[in-house]
Amino acid sequence: MTHKEHHVIISLASNYNQETALAGAREQLTQLLTEVHFTSAIWTEPISSICKESYLNQLCKGTTALGCGLLGEVLKETERRLGRTHNENGIVVLDLDLLEYDGERFHLRDWDRNYVKDLINEL
């Protein structure tokens, strides 16, 4: 029995200990996905006024045998394992968002963000 490989695009973001957080995320995603490619990482200003720290953003493209829902759960577990909590006063240790799964787009507002528009061309 063969497993279907699903094509995915994942957004990585951090505004706390940014380089270390994204390096940890890249390591985890490299183990989770196959045919993995990362864009360059770029700095962006925060959208919210809660936290003034700049974000480091990056995109990842790869394939997986995981279903969409399970992949989303694994991404949230990876965030927690690498230090994300949800009472962080604007601090985002790591945010991993599934932007696309087999051509279906999620987090539609993110697709309008300049960093996504710029980085998507590197995939």
Side-chain angles (χ1 to χ4, degrees), residues 55-74:
Y55 278 85
L56 190 58
N57 300 95
Q58 190 169 31
L59 298 181
C60 169
K61 178 172 81 170
T63 58
T64 181
L66 296 177
C68 187
L70 182 55
L71 177 59
E73 290 174 27
V74 171

Side-chain angles (χ1 to χ4, degrees), residues 102-115:
D102 281 346
E104 184 178 351
R105 288 185 171 188
F106 304 98
H107 299 278
L108 297 180
R109 283 185 310 198
D110 290 353
W111 287 93
D112 290 331
R113 300 197 197 289
N114 286 333
Y115 76 88

Side-chain angles (χ1 to χ4, degrees), residues 67-84:
C68 187
L70 182 55
L71 177 59
E73 290 174 27
V74 171
L75 293 177
K76 293 305 165 202
E77 177 56 35
T78 301
E79 290 176 350
R80 285 190 293 276
R81 197 167 52 247
L82 294 176
R84 177 127 193 217

Side-chain angles (χ1 to χ4, degrees), residues 22-76:
L22 261 56
R26 286 191 300 270
E27 186 177 312
Q28 295 293 310
L29 290 170
T30 299
Q31 295 173 18
L32 178 65
L33 305 173
T34 53
E35 300 177 39
V36 183
H37 173 74
F38 294 96
T39 65
S40 56
I42 59 173
W43 292 94
T44 60
E45 292 305 309
I47 296 167
S48 164
S49 61
I50 297 172
C51 182
K52 302 294 186 212
E53 295 299 318
S54 294
Y55 278 85
L56 190 58
N57 300 95
Q58 190 169 31
L59 298 181
C60 169
K61 178 172 81 170
T63 58
T64 181
L66 296 177
C68 187
L70 182 55
L71 177 59
E73 290 174 27
V74 171
L75 293 177
K76 293 305 165 202

